[in-house]
């Protein structure tokens, strides 16, 4: 293991001028109460950036800091040394082999469980460098994007769509924002949206976020529970992009004042994938989220969800009780829906009658009576 400095991370951050003594002391108190790392607390409080924490950790452990936004960072990494699925799972990438050990670029040198787990497959491992978690997630996602996606193609689609939009606006003598139907069907924007969706699905994203701001539109993917910025789209593309997504989702593309919900179904690499689409009016335009629903994930089986053996046994006992309430909680993308649907799939046998009350119904099961809640007509959870 990389040799750890006697200095604490708080001391290093103070020396770097990244935090004050009082801020570090306050963060240590919060960290003790919450079980979080001091650096994690300082980032959450807005005192330090992830990059500042990564630099301090690199100094503390006597390894190099790698800024993955710099082009030369690619020369420090050899991704062929470790399977892609392990890199994605643990948000770590291999750097090189040295003295029979695989040196890893990590965001948390103290995550020994993850480092040892990689060692089970790759042999002896050690920390070779530190980068910020967000940069690592973005680097892995960008470097392992699906084979059907090419950033040049997206750029080309944006340019073509922009040109088509100008032509359509010129011919119709009206502003493009008032011509959503035409813009939503421009070949450039159609290809752009399709490629972005394919990339998100093949890159294991759980959500696609389209977020308009004053001067641009931010596209973000949620991968392994973490939102990463995929790209910035020109502001002039906003109306076309949103109209295309809403058109695909089957909602009113001219309605921008109230939230709307819709669904998209696409076949990607031979698999049918559903998307739950939600739009919400914001200051600079509608914010749209596409939740990616993979039918196969709901049928993985409880054994493949990562439970420890004793927890799995307890889980199985609970879901097979004749009555009671079973509460599953967690943040967005943590696996609540997959867990519950996997449990239903295990319980779904011919001798059982199962009725669900859902809002929305995300996966359809044969043999289960699934009811969609509709508050507007009085079909509430309690009524069902």
């Amino acid at each position: 293991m990389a040799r750890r400095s006697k200095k604490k991370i708080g001391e290093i951050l103070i020396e770097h001028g990244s935090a004050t003594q009082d801020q570090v002391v306050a963060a240590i108190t919060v960290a003790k109460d919450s079980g979080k790392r001091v650096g994690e607390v300082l980032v959450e409080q807005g005192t330090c950036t992830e990059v500042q924490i990564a630099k301090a950790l690199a100094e503390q452990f006597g390894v190099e800091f790698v800024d993955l936004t710099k082009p030369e960072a690619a020369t420090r990494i050899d991704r062929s040394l470790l399977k892609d699925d392990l890199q994605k799972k643990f948000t770590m990438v291999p750097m090189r082999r040295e003295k029979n050990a695989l040196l890893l670029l990590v965001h948390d040198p103290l995550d020994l469980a993850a480092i040892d787990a990689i060692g089970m497959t790759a042999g002896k491992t050690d920390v070779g460098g530190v980068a910020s978690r967000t940069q690592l997630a973005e680097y892995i996602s960008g470097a392992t994007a699906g084979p059907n996606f090419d950033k040049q193609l997206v750029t080309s689609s944006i340019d073509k769509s922009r040109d088509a939009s100008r032509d359509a606006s010129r011919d119709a003598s009206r502003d493009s924002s008032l011509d959503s139907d035409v813009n939503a069907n421009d070949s450039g924007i159609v290809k752009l949206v399709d490629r972005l969706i394919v990339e998100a699905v093949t890159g294991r994203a759980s959500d696609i976020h389209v977020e308009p701001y004053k001067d641009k539109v931010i596209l973000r993917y949620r991968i392994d529970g973490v939102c990463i910025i995929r790209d910035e789209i020109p502001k002039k593309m906003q109306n076309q992009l949103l109209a295309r997504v809403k058109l695909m989702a089957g909602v009113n593309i001219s309605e921008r004042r109230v939230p709307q919900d819709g669904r998209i179904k696409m076949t990607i690499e031979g698999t049918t994938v559903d998307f739950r689409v939600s739009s919400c009016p914001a200051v600079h335009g509608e914010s749209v989220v596409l939740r990616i629903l993979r039918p196969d994930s709901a049928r993985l089986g409880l054994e493949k969800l990562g439970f420890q053996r004793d927890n799995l046994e307890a889980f199985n006992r609970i879901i097979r009780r004749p009555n009671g309430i079973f509460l599953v909680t967690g943040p967005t993308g943590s696996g609540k829906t997959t867990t519950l649907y996997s449990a239903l799939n295990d319980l779904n046998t011919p001798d059982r009658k199962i009725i669900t009350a859902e809002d929305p119904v995300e996966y359809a099961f044969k043999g289960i009576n699934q009811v969609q809640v509709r508050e507007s007509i009085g079909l509430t959870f309690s009524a069902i």
Side-chain angles (χ1 to χ4, degrees):
M1 185 68 189
R3 183 174 296 178
R4 187 175 180 182
S5 167
K6 293 182 180 179
K7 287 185 180 179
K8 296 181 179 179
I9 188 171
E11 296 174 348
I12 297 173
L13 289 168
I14 293 170
E15 290 178 359
H16 289 183
S18 302
T20 64
Q21 179 76 37
D22 290 342
Q23 289 171 328
V24 170
V25 171
I28 291 172
T29 302
V30 173
K32 287 180 179 178
D33 293 338
S34 63
K36 296 179 178 179
R37 305 256 196 249
V38 173
E40 186 180 358
V41 172
L42 288 167
V43 171
E44 289 179 353
Q45 293 177 341
T47 303
C48 299
T49 65
E50 283 190 2
V51 169
Q52 289 173 326
I53 298 299
K55 287 180 177 178
L57 285 171
E59 181 175 328
Q60 185 183 32
F61 283 85
V63 296
E64 63 179 303
F65 164 74
V66 179
D67 186 348
L68 291 172
T69 63
K70 305 294 185 184
E72 58 269 22
T75 64
R76 314 294 301 143
I77 296 167
D78 184 355
R79 300 200 64 214
S80 66
L81 296 174
L82 187 65
K83 292 181 179 178
D84 285 347
D85 59 344
L86 291 175
Q87 297 178 48
K88 293 175 184 177
K89 181 176 181 179
F90 297 110
T91 320
M92 299 179 182
V93 295
M95 299 179 70
R96 63 187 180 277
R97 285 200 177 275
E98 191 173 281
K99 296 179 180 179
N100 296 322
L102 178 64
L103 299 186
L104 299 169
L105 181 62
V106 306
H107 60 87
D108 182 3
L110 289 174
D111 191 355
L112 302 182
I115 295 170
D116 289 344
I118 291 177
M120 295 287 287
T121 300
K124 185 180 178 182
T125 54
D126 202 350
V127 175
V130 180
S132 81
R133 178 185 176 87
T134 298
Q135 284 188 12
L136 271 168
E138 290 178 350
Y139 183 85
I140 293 170
S141 174
T144 61
N148 296 326
F149 185 83
D150 186 318
K151 184 154 183 170
Q152 262 190 325
L153 292 177
V154 171
T155 304
S156 174
S157 290
I158 290 175
D159 293 338
K160 289 177 182 177
S161 182
R162 186 186 297 124
D163 294 339
S165 175
R166 286 200 200 99
D167 293 341
S169 299
R170 190 182 301 116
D171 293 340
S173 299
R174 53 186 172 179
D175 189 271
S176 62
S177 64
L178 302 177
D179 192 14
S180 297
D181 289 320
V182 172
N183 292 333
N185 287 295
D186 283 343
S187 61
I189 202 69
V190 170
K191 291 178 181 177
L192 171 62
V193 173
D194 286 351
R195 285 173 179 145
L196 292 175
I197 288 176
V198 169
E199 180 192 36
V201 171
T202 56
R204 301 181 311 106
S206 61
D207 303 86
I208 304 171
H209 297 260
V210 183
E211 303 170 335
Y213 291 92
K214 183 177 181 180
D215 57 348
K216 58 191 173 185
V217 178
I218 298 294
L219 178 74
R220 300 200 296 169
Y221 297 156
R222 184 184 296 278
I223 300 175
D224 292 332
V226 179
C227 276
I228 62 172
I229 295 176
R230 171 60 184 89
D231 216 338
E232 294 182 4
I233 296 174
K235 184 70 174 178
K236 64 182 69 176
M237 294 287 296
Q238 175 176 316
N239 292 315
Q240 299 167 278
L241 180 64
L242 296 179
R244 175 59 188 169
V245 173
K246 291 168 69 177
L247 186 67
M248 294 172 70
V251 301
N252 186 348
I253 63 175
S254 62
E255 178 57 78
R256 303 184 179 94
R257 301 164 299 173
V258 297
Q260 297 189 83
D261 293 299
R263 296 182 82 95
I264 298 172
K265 180 174 287 189
M266 292 179 65
T267 300
I268 299 174
E269 295 188 347
T271 302
T272 299
V273 181
D274 286 322
F275 301 83
R276 192 175 81 214
V277 182
S278 300
S279 68
C280 182
V283 174
H284 300 296
E286 291 174 285
S287 175
V288 176
V289 178
L290 289 79
R291 165 60 61 86
I292 301 172
L293 309 173
R294 297 174 172 84
D296 291 344
S297 66
R299 296 176 174 83
L300 284 173
L302 294 173
E303 294 79 8
K304 296 182 180 179
L305 293 185
F307 282 105
Q308 296 292 331
R309 178 56 55 185
D310 55 341
N311 288 333
L312 178 60
E313 291 173 355
F315 188 94
N316 275 310
R317 286 197 300 271
I318 291 171
I319 64 175
R320 283 168 173 77
R321 290 178 180 173
N323 50 58
I325 293 176
F326 180 37
L327 184 64
V328 178
T329 68
T332 298
S334 62
K336 301 183 296 296
T337 299
T338 299
T339 300
L340 288 174
Y341 273 122
S342 294
L344 281 176
N345 193 47
D346 275 17
L347 296 173
N348 186 19
T349 56
D351 60 316
R352 283 195 178 94
K353 170 85 170 187
I354 300 176
I355 300 176
T356 69
E358 305 179 47
D359 188 17
V361 175
E362 295 193 357
Y363 301 107
F365 281 83
K366 290 181 180 180
I368 296 179
N369 299 273
Q370 296 172 266
V371 186
Q372 169 68 55
V373 171
R374 298 186 187 278
E375 298 274 358
S376 59
I377 61 172
L379 191 61
T380 62
F381 279 103
S382 57
I384 296 169

